[in-house]
């Protein structure tokens, strides 16, 4: 019988996917869009509850992203022969760390972003995976929109 500890591997894969450039929100990099959400709400913390399918601060633009990661989690659980009931909680937290302007360069360097993926099992075991990347807030004037078909 598969063990719940396989959930850490699932969390690692989903975290890597989440911070990748292939994570789109309406054709633009999801991390940049989330960073813009943080700036708009004057908070540098976003929580996505994959089980309840919610995001805080709330924004309907991320509905497809949340649904997609709920689907991916469910698929991976089934693929590994686990039971969906093993997962009590699953969330992605995104923390933004704004950079100060670099006066010598006359510009602002990309901001550091940390993503923390946490899965809590039905037996209260907690698996956590962290990954970091750098981004700028979403700006459609400086970015090219993806042509991938999975836009909402």
């Amino acid at each position: 019988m598969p063990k719940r500890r396989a959930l850490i591997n699932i969390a690692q894969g989903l975290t890597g996917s989440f911070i990748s450039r292939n994570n789109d929100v309406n054709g633009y990099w999801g991390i940049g869009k989330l960073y813009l959400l943080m700036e708009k709400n004057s908070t540098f913390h976003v929580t996505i509850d994959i089980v309840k399918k919610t995001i805080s601060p709330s924004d309907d633009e991320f509905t497809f992203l949340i649904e997609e990661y709920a689907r991916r989690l469910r698929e991976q659980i089934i693929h590994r022969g686990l039971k969906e009931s093993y997962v009590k909680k699953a969330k992605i937290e995104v923390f933004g760390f704004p950079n100060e302007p670099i006066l010598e360069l006359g510009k602002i360097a990309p901001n550091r972003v940390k993503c923390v993926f946490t899965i809590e099992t039905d037996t209260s075991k907690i698996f956590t995976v962290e990954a970091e990347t750098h981004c700028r807030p979403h700006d459609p004037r400086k970015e090219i929109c993806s042509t991938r078909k999975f836009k909402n």
Side-chain angles (χ1 to χ4, degrees), residues 12-13 15 20 34 50-51 55 71 73-74 78 82 88 96 101 103 107 111 116-117 120 139 151:
Q12 288 169 333
T15 302
S20 83
L34 286 165
I50 298 174
V51 173
I55 185 169
R71 181 191 65 76
L73 175 62
R74 193 171 42 259
I78 293 166
L82 302 172
K88 185 166 103 179
L103 298 177
K107 61 182 180 179
N111 305 292
V116 180
F117 196 116
E120 183 177 342
D139 183 348
K151 296 185 213 176

Side-chain angles (χ1 to χ4, degrees), residues 3-8 11 85-90 117-128:
K3 302 287 185 189
R4 286 169 179 82
R5 70 176 157 246
L7 291 169
I8 190 75
S85 63
Y86 287 178
V87 177
K88 185 166 103 179
K89 296 179 183 175
F117 196 116
T118 305
I119 295 177
E120 183 177 342
T121 70
D122 56 337
T123 61
S124 298
K125 176 76 176 158
I126 296 173
F127 299 104
T128 302

Side-chain angles (χ1 to χ4, degrees), residues 99-110 136:
N99 288 333
E100 296 295 322
I102 301 171
L103 298 177
E104 303 84 48
L105 299 177
K107 61 182 180 179
I108 298 176
R136 288 187 170 84

Side-chain angles (χ1 to χ4, degrees), residues 42-77:
S42 300
T43 180
F44 286 94
H45 180 220
V46 171
T47 302
I48 299 171
D49 188 316
I50 298 174
V51 173
K52 294 179 182 175
K53 298 181 182 176
T54 60
I55 185 169
S56 177
S58 182
D59 191 321
D60 291 339
E61 182 176 24
F62 296 94
T63 301
F64 183 81
L65 174 86
I66 296 165
E67 292 286 340
E68 178 66 14
Y69 277 87
R71 181 191 65 76
R72 289 180 186 194
L73 175 62
R74 193 171 42 259
E75 274 183 2
Q76 287 298 313
I77 288 169

